[in-house]
Amino acid sequence: MKFDCAHELLYAALFVFLFCFRADARASDGRVDVSFSAEHSSVTLHEPDYILLSIRNGLSEQIEFDLGLNKKICCEFSIIGPDGKEIRIPRLKQEGFGLSGKHSLASIGTYTQRLLLNEWYQFLSPGTYTVKASLDVTFRTASGLRVRSNFSGSMTQHILPRDEDQLRRICVDLTSEALGAPSLQRRKDAAFALGYVLDPVGVPFLGQLLADGRVVQAYGAVGLSRIGNDEAIGILISNLNVKDPELLSMIVLELRQVEGRTRDQWLRDRI
């Protein structure tokens, strides 16, 4: 009797193991599709460059996943330049405050997100590049089954020569959106993108953000610091009389960062 009970328990345990294994395999058979694509196959040098992330849940039940802080910590990129050399870009750090990356996606639903590639990598010269993208994330169904992770793909990105008129048009549009969009998130997204136009053309527009942007003023300060030329530093210095203590602290911090990284002694003395 004990022998039969032991066998029954063993068979029951084996059945549960095989059921869970097969259920997990069914949930991991590729019916959650992840893809990356370039929003535009070609952009001009220093222009905001967007990558589109798409997650499609083809399973029969809801899935849950976490992309990390600001919905992008789990994304990784590497760049193969025109010379054939590959540059592996470190993952963004998960620190500070920001948006939660936790999501629930209904069956047969699709999640999409724009990622500003400039945040990971700034193209320094024209040419044809290969962008490799991967998403290190675990999906779980509502019933707790684990779905495969570590999705990857690649795309070709053509970086055209610098076009000052094109950059100015982009800066005009982003500034207008950052100062006047109906939703706060749209204003922040536009200001964030403008802060990555690392070109002298962007300086007066970033200065306008710093002067008139209210909730997006900080993006103007950070963008001016990234450009770090004489005109940008002059605008930061001229705003040292702001009454907002938090904004003042940020401007001082950005000036110190420029001072620490520049090799221009005249600029360092000015700061």
Side-chain angles (χ1 to χ4, degrees), residues 2-261:
K2 291 182 180 180
F3 180 79
D4 291 339
C5 289
H7 273 72
E8 288 179 2
L9 290 173
L10 178 61
Y11 289 141
L14 182 60
F15 174 78
V16 170
F17 171 78
L18 290 174
F19 175 80
C20 292
F21 177 81
R22 291 191 178 189
D24 189 69
R26 285 198 299 272
S28 307
D29 63 1
R31 289 179 290 177
V32 173
D33 297 317
V34 177
S35 63
F36 291 90
S37 60
E39 185 171 77
H40 301 288
S41 61
S42 62
V43 295
T44 59
L45 190 65
H46 301 160
E47 177 182 341
D49 189 3
Y50 290 99
I51 298 294
L52 301 179
L53 165 65
S54 177
I55 300 172
R56 183 182 181 278
N57 177 18
L59 301 175
S60 59
E61 57 182 316
Q62 176 179 292
I63 59 172
E64 297 177 352
F65 55 96
D66 188 353
L67 297 175
L69 185 67
N70 288 319
K71 304 184 290 185
K72 52 193 173 186
I73 298 299
C74 292
C75 299
E76 297 184 15
F77 296 94
S78 64
I79 308 292
I80 301 177
D83 59 0
K85 295 182 179 179
E86 183 170 357
I87 301 172
R88 298 187 179 277
I89 305 167
R91 184 185 295 195
L92 297 179
K93 296 180 180 179
Q94 184 152 330
E95 58 186 14
F97 300 96
L99 299 174
S100 170
K102 294 183 178 181
H103 290 278
S104 296
L105 185 58
S107 173
I108 319 301
T110 300
Y111 169 85
T112 58
Q113 182 178 332
R114 294 173 89 203
L115 301 167
L116 185 64
L117 183 58
N118 310 64
E119 187 177 3
W120 284 266
Y121 184 79
Q122 190 72 23
F123 294 100
L124 299 178
S125 60
T128 299
Y129 296 78
T130 298
V131 179
K132 292 184 176 181
S134 63
L135 184 69
D136 184 12
V137 65
T138 296
F139 301 100
R140 292 189 181 278
T141 66
S143 58
L145 298 178
R146 183 178 180 276
V147 186
R148 66 185 179 89
S149 57
N150 294 316
F151 300 87
S152 62
S154 63
M155 67 212 80
T156 300
Q157 186 70 78
H158 301 285
I159 306 300
L160 305 178
R162 178 179 179 270
D163 184 334
E164 185 168 332
D165 291 337
Q166 170 73 353
L167 289 173
R168 185 170 287 105
R169 286 191 294 270
I170 290 170
C171 288
V172 168
D173 291 342
L174 288 175
T175 303
S176 177
E177 182 84 352
L179 297 179
S183 75
L184 177 58
Q185 192 57 53
R186 281 178 56 186
R187 293 171 67 185
K188 287 184 175 181
D189 290 344
F192 182 74
L194 183 60
Y196 276 96
V197 180
L198 304 190
D199 189 280
V201 168
V203 170
F205 299 97
L206 291 165
Q208 189 176 350
L209 244 61
L210 184 56
D212 305 322
R214 296 184 182 179
V215 294
V216 294
Q217 285 178 297
Y219 295 98
V222 173
L224 289 168
S225 170
R226 289 193 184 109
I227 294 174
N229 64 6
D230 184 42
E231 183 184 3
I233 297 307
I235 293 175
L236 288 173
I237 291 175
S238 69
N239 279 273
L240 287 173
N241 59 352
V242 297
K243 296 180 180 180
D244 183 341
E246 291 186 6
L247 181 59
L248 176 59
S249 296
M250 174 164 283
I251 292 173
V252 171
L253 175 63
E254 295 302 328
L255 284 170
R256 293 305 181 199
Q257 289 185 349
V258 175
E259 181 184 24
R261 68 173 181 260

